[in-house]
Amino acid sequence: MHSASGSSCAKIILIGEHAVVYGQPAIALPVKAIKLTATIIVNPRKQQMIDSKFYQGPLQAAAATDFAGIADLIAALLAYFHAEQAGFTLRIVSALPPERGMGSSAATATAVVRAFYAAFDTALTQRTLLQWTARSEKAIHGNPSGLDAATTSADTPLWFTKTTPIVPIVFPTNGSLVIADTGIMGQTKEAVQAVATRRAQDPATVDAQIKAIGQAVALAKAALLADDLPALGAQLTKAQVQLRALGVSNAQLDHLIQAAMAAGALGAKLTGSGLGGCMIALADSAAQAQQIRLALQAAGAAATWQYDFSTGGH
Ligand code: PMV
């Protein structure tokens, strides 16, 4: 084992969250400008230390913390490489806000797996990477679709379903997304569980809502291919109607969505699990995106980002 690093980036679900857990498609994009890096620095004193904003201290003491899922992943990687006794400091530097629907846990797992494979000079296929990240995502989120890990490790926007191969999807060259953070921790596990509970109580209604999201995703794909931003915006707004009905939006998300629409957005919705976290708004130009950003800041967004389709989010 030698010192090495691995990286990943934030992700945004354009459309399809929650329904994707029940087999519907989703469209998601890696946001390359918001990066996460995991660096392994070999430590001759045989200690295993974590240095991150999520957790700082010995690996062995992380089991009872929020870092437990990643700590378990690291222990499994060490066992896989027969390096249980190796000494190292693992430093994680992340520009992603945690628990905001930007895939922070999946991005962390992706960068950590990449760093360990690099430290052991071992080639890593995308398939093996996703097997590893599924392990920590399951521990952290309960029943993950795998979408987060697929996107935080991807180079292009993706068409994703749980059961079919992941397909890159081409985005228009005009238009921008504005991403705004409510400043409230999203609650992926709780939100996914809330939908499951609602579905157990009223399967007909919830299945119809899930199907409606799936239809909006299919129409969003057609709009992307046709370079039709107003049609894409309309599908984002349609998905938001269903996400609200599923109970995963909240007052702050609704408030920011309204502010974006009032500022001229073509469509807006929550992104990720909801119950806090981030929302996205579609703008027909970078200039309009600037206007929407200002409106979202005035409406109380904790942070905003812009993803211009022309640059692929770089
Ligand atoms: O909140 P995030 O970024 O973890 O996104 C969760 C997306 C869901 O569709 C709600 C769950 C999943 O596993 O796909």
Side-chain angles (χ1 to χ4, degrees):
M1 173 171 166
H2 58 81
S3 297
S5 58
S7 62
S8 59
C9 68
K11 72 101 218 308
I12 286 299
I13 300 176
L14 179 71
I15 187 165
E17 51 275 270
H18 287 290
V20 72
V21 173
Y22 298 94
Q24 296 293 335
I27 300 171
L29 4 134
V31 185
K32 293 285 177 194
I34 308 177
K35 283 193 175 51
L36 185 148
T37 307
T39 305
I40 297 167
I41 304 135
V42 168
N43 171 352
R45 282 185 297 164
K46 300 285 172 215
Q47 289 170 316
Q48 298 180 339
M49 302 297 290
I50 306 297
D51 178 9
S52 75
K53 66 178 173 185
F54 317 109
Y55 171 76
Q56 277 204 323
L59 175 65
Q60 287 74 8
T65 71
D66 285 350
F67 198 71
I70 301 293
D72 167 77
L73 174 68
I74 296 167
L77 284 160
L78 289 170
Y80 175 76
F81 286 113
H82 306 292
E84 288 95 331
Q85 305 306 322
F88 60 85
T89 296
L90 176 65
R91 183 163 299 141
I92 300 168
V93 177
S94 174
L96 283 74
E99 294 287 331
R100 301 293 212 289
M102 289 186 121
S104 176
S105 63
T108 305
T110 297
V112 164
V113 174
R114 285 179 168 161
F116 274 96
Y117 271 69
F120 289 98
D121 291 319
T122 305
L124 176 64
T125 63
Q126 185 69 359
R127 192 186 149 92
T128 302
L129 171 65
L130 295 183
Q131 280 165 354
W132 281 113
T133 52
R135 180 187 174 113
S136 58
E137 286 291 278
K138 203 164 168 38
I140 297 166
H141 295 315
N143 178 25
S145 62
L147 174 60
D148 277 18
T151 317
T152 56
S153 61
D155 288 322
T156 61
L158 301 176
W159 172 263
F160 178 95
T161 75
K162 263 169 90 163
T163 49
T164 56
I166 298 162
V167 188
I169 185 164
V170 177
F171 264 53
T173 45
N174 293 316
S176 300
L177 283 176
V178 176
I179 306 159
D181 183 1
T182 59
I184 300 166
M185 292 284 213
Q187 300 163 42
T188 306
K189 203 170 186 171
E190 289 76 4
V192 171
Q193 188 53 49
V195 174
T197 305
R198 209 177 256 259
R199 185 163 179 260
Q201 285 160 356
D202 186 357
T205 303
V206 171
D207 282 344
Q209 290 161 341
I210 287 168
K211 206 168 155 203
I213 294 176
Q215 278 162 353
V217 177
L219 291 171
K221 182 184 184 185
L224 282 168
L225 293 176
D227 229 332
D228 187 343
L229 293 174
L232 176 61
Q235 297 311 321
L236 299 187
T237 296
K238 259 195 210 165
Q240 173 62 17
V241 170
Q242 300 301 335
L243 289 164
R244 260 194 101 191
L246 283 172
V248 293
S249 197
N250 70 1
Q252 287 81 358
L253 285 163
D254 291 346
H255 175 62
L256 292 183
I257 289 164
Q258 271 164 19
M261 294 305 284
L266 298 173
K269 60 183 274 297
L270 66 82
T271 183
S273 65
L275 296 180
C278 292
M279 55 76 68
I280 53 173
L282 181 68
D284 69 7
S285 66
Q288 192 193 41
Q290 277 298 337
Q291 296 298 318
I292 295 170
R293 265 183 103 162
L294 290 175
L296 286 166
Q297 283 158 10
T304 63
W305 298 266
Q306 191 167 327
Y307 179 114
D308 294 331
F309 294 153
S310 61
T311 64
H314 285 274

